[in-house]
C-alpha cells in the first residue's frame, strides 16, 4: 500500500472521528477573505477586457508563424472571462444579484456558455464534490458502468484517456449538459431558456458577421481556435482540481464533506501569466471551502488554510506534461472503496 493511500485513509479516519464540519474550517478563515471589493472586481474586468482586446489585436497583425502564440494568449485571456462569470455564478462578484446575472451573461456569452445552466450544474458539483454518482464535474467511470457500455463507446473512452485527449473533455460536457432545459427542474427552466437564448442570439449575429467580413478562415482564426484554447484550460483545470490516483471518490454513505473539500481538492501551480489571466482559479481549495470567497481573495484564504489545516491538504503540484500523463495513465476506471485502476488492470482481471 502506497504512502499516499495510507495518508488518505488516515485523514479520512481522523475527520470521521473528529466530526469536523465544513463550517468549522470556514470559521478559521480571516473575515477579509469574504469581503467583496468593488474596485478589485471591476479592475479585474478592465484588465481582462484589455488583455482579450490585446489578444485579438495580435491575431489581426501577427504573421502566420506568430499566430500560435497569439492564439494561446487570446484563448487564455478568454478563460479569464469565464472566471469572472464563475464569480458571478457564485454571487461573489457583486452584492446585487442582477449585477451578477448581467455580468455573468456578458462574459460567458462569447464562449457560447449559457450562464444559468452552468451556474446551477456547477453549484451541484460543489454540494457533492467527489461523491460517486452525484458529482457532475470530472467524475470517474466505474468498471461495472464501463462494462455495460457498447463496444463503440468503450473504445472511444479508452482512446480519449490513452491518447490523453483530456483537453477536449469540457467541450463534450458543455454540449451535452447545458443546452437542454428539460434536464433541469421546472422552476429553473425559465432561467435556462433565457441563458440559451442569449448565447444563441450572440452566435446568430456575430458568427455570420465574422464569416461575411473575414471568411471561414477568419471565423476559425478569431473565434474557433481561441475557443479551443479556452477549453484546453477549462478541461485542464477541471480534471486537475479533483483527480489524482490517491484522491478518493466515495459513496454517499461514506462521503465526508470536509474530506472532499480539503484533501479531495488539489492546488496546482501554473505559469504566473496563466494564473494572472485566469484570476487564480488554480488556487482552488479555498473556493471549495466557501464559494463566497471572491477570486481576488483566494490566495489570502489559501495561506490561512495551509496554516490551520495543512495536515489535511493534498500535496501540491506544478502543471506539467508528466503530471497530465500520470493522471490520464493511472486514473482511467474507479473501483468503489478501492480507488483507480487502469484499462490493462481491468482487462487482466476479467
Amino acid at each position: 500500500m502506497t504512502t499516499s493511500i495510507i495518508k488518505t485513509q488516515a485523514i479520512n479516519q481522523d475527520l470521521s472521528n473528529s466530526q469536523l464540519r465544513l463550517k468549522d474550517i470556514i470559521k478559521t478563515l480571516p473575515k477579509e477573505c469574504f469581503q467583496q471589493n468593488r474596485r478589485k472586481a471591476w479592475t479585474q474586468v478592465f484588465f481582462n477586457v484589455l488583455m482579450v482586446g490585446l489578444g485579438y489585436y495580435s491575431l489581426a497583425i501577427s504573421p502566420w508563424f506568430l499566430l500560435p502564440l497569439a492564439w494561446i494568449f487570446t484563448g487564455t485571456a478568454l478563460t479569464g472571462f469565464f472566471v469572472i462569470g464563475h464569480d458571478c455564478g457564485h454571487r461573489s462578484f457583486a452584492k446585487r444579484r442582477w449585477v451578477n446575472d448581467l455580468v455573468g451573461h456578458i462574459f460567458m456569452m462569447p464562449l457560447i456558455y449559457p450562464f444559468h445552466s452552468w451556474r446551477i450544474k456547477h453549484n451541484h458539483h460543489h454540494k457533492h464534490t467527489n461523491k460517486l454518482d452525484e458529482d457532475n464535474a470530472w467524475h470517474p467511470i466505474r468498471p461495472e458502468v464501463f462494462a455495460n457500455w457498447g463496444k463503440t463507446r468503450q473504445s472511444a473512452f479508452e482512446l480519449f484517456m490513452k491518447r490523453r485527449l483530456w483537453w477536449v473533455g469540457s467541450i463534450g460536457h458543455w454540449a451535452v449538459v447545458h443546452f437542454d432545459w428539460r434536464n433541469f427542474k421546472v422552476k429553473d427552466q425559465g432561467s435556462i431558456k433565457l441563458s440559451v437564448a442569449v448565447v444563441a442570439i450572440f452566435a446568430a449575429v456575430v458568427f455570420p458577421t465574422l464569416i461575411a467580413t473575414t471568411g471561414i478562415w477568419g471565423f476559425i482564426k478569431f473565434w474557433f481556435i481561441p475557443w479551443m484554447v479556452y477549453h484546453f484550460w477549462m478541461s485542464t483545470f477541471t480534471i486537475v482540481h479533483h483527480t489524482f490516483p490517491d484522491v478518493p471518490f466515495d459513496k454517499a454513505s461514506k462521503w465526508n464533506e470536509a474530506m472532499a473539500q480539503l484533501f479531495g481538492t488539489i492546488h496546482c501551480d501554473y505559469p504566473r501569466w496563466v494564473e494572472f489571466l485566469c484570476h487564480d482559479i488554480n488556487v482552488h481549495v479555498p473556493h471549495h471551502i466557501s464559494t463566497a470567497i471572491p477570486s481576488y481573495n483566494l490566495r489570502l484564504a489559501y495561506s490561512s488554510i495551509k496554516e490551520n489545516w495543512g495536515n489535511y491538504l493534498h500535496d501540491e503540484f506544478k502543471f506539467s506534461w508528466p503530471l497530465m500523463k500520470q493522471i490520464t495513465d493511472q486514473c482511467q476506471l474507479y473501483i468503489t472503496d478501492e480507488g483507480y485502476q487502469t484499462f490493462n488492470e481491468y482487462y487482466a482481471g476479467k
Side-chain angles (χ1 to χ4, degrees):
M1 186 176 291
T2 65
T3 302
S4 59
I5 293 176
I6 293 173
K7 179 182 178 182
T8 304
Q9 293 178 344
I11 292 174
N12 217 345
Q13 185 64 41
D14 191 9
L15 289 173
S16 177
N17 292 337
S18 66
Q19 297 299 311
L20 180 67
R21 298 166 298 179
L22 202 58
K23 64 181 181 180
D24 297 325
I25 305 170
I26 293 173
K27 287 178 182 178
T28 67
L29 296 175
K31 293 182 180 179
E32 293 84 356
C33 295
F34 303 95
Q35 291 177 356
Q36 294 181 8
N37 186 307
R38 186 181 302 175
R39 178 184 59 81
K40 289 182 179 179
W42 288 102
T43 298
Q44 278 189 339
V45 168
F46 172 78
F47 277 108
N48 206 159
V49 171
L50 184 65
M51 292 299 101
V52 169
L54 178 62
Y56 279 115
Y57 177 72
S58 67
L59 286 175
I61 66 170
S62 291
W64 65 268
F65 55 87
L66 291 179
L67 280 177
L69 294 177
W71 280 323
I72 291 170
F73 179 85
T74 306
T76 307
L78 284 171
T79 308
F81 272 22
F82 179 85
V83 178
I84 289 174
H86 177 272
D87 272 14
C88 291
H90 288 303
R91 312 306 188 191
S92 62
F93 178 84
K95 294 180 180 179
R96 290 183 172 85
R97 176 169 294 190
W98 72 267
V99 176
N100 286 307
D101 288 349
L102 177 61
V103 174
H105 276 94
I106 289 173
F107 278 85
M108 286 193 173
M109 186 170 57
L111 306 172
I112 315 300
Y113 228 119
F115 172 72
H116 284 305
S117 308
W118 169 83
R119 176 181 63 81
I120 293 168
K121 291 294 185 183
H122 184 67
N123 282 332
H124 185 86
H125 158 64
H126 275 273
K127 291 178 181 178
H128 304 281
T129 303
N130 289 32
K131 185 189 294 183
L132 279 174
D133 301 321
E134 282 289 348
D135 194 341
N136 60 353
W138 194 295
H139 58 85
I141 303 301
R142 289 172 293 145
E144 58 267 31
V145 174
F146 181 76
N148 288 328
W149 287 354
K151 289 294 184 183
T152 301
R153 191 176 181 185
Q154 287 181 341
S155 298
F157 183 61
E158 286 192 55
L159 179 68
F160 175 78
M161 295 301 291
K162 289 181 177 179
R163 297 298 182 184
R164 304 185 183 96
L165 300 176
W166 86 88
W167 50 276
V168 297
S170 62
I171 297 177
H173 191 266
W174 161 81
V176 172
V177 173
H178 297 89
F179 289 89
D180 189 349
W181 50 82
R182 293 170 298 182
N183 294 330
F184 295 81
K185 296 178 181 179
V186 174
K187 68 181 182 65
D188 295 322
Q189 290 183 0
S191 298
I192 307 306
K193 291 177 182 179
L194 170 64
S195 295
V196 171
V198 167
V199 297
I201 292 171
F202 177 89
V205 173
V206 173
F207 290 175
T209 302
L210 189 59
I211 293 171
T213 54
T214 64
I216 296 295
W217 169 240
F219 173 78
I220 295 172
K221 175 182 176 180
F222 290 107
W223 186 81
F224 182 73
I225 297 181
W227 183 77
M228 289 294 293
V229 173
Y230 150 69
H231 272 289
F232 170 88
W233 290 121
M234 183 78 167
S235 299
T236 300
F237 289 142
T238 303
I239 189 173
V240 171
H241 282 160
H242 303 286
T243 308
F244 203 69
D246 62 348
V247 170
F249 276 74
D250 292 323
K251 297 182 295 184
S253 60
K254 293 186 176 182
W255 184 73
N256 183 299
E257 185 178 25
M259 174 69 172
Q261 313 300 7
L262 275 177
F263 186 77
T265 305
I266 296 173
H267 176 92
C268 182
D269 289 319
Y270 293 78
R272 191 66 191 103
W273 67 273
V274 174
E275 296 178 349
F276 171 76
L277 290 175
C278 298
H279 309 302
D280 291 331
I281 193 62
N282 60 297
V283 187
H284 206 60
V285 178
H287 176 61
H288 267 269
I289 299 303
S290 174
T291 58
I293 301 173
S295 56
Y296 45 80
N297 289 335
L298 290 174
R299 290 190 180 274
L300 172 64
Y302 189 52
S303 295
S304 174
I305 292 168
K306 288 174 69 174
E307 180 179 349
N308 292 297
W309 307 99
N311 290 337
Y312 296 113
L313 295 175
H314 195 281
D315 294 336
E316 296 182 357
F317 297 114
K318 288 187 179 295
F319 174 67
S320 64
W321 176 252
L323 173 64
M324 302 312 299
K325 183 177 183 297
Q326 183 177 8
I327 291 173
T328 52
D329 283 352
Q330 296 183 29
C331 304
Q332 296 176 344
L333 297 171
Y334 193 86
I335 302 176
T336 306
D337 296 331
E338 293 187 26
Y340 286 100
Q341 71 170 178
T342 65
F343 293 119
N344 290 339
E345 291 170 336
Y346 167 77
Y347 289 116
K350 291 188 69 175

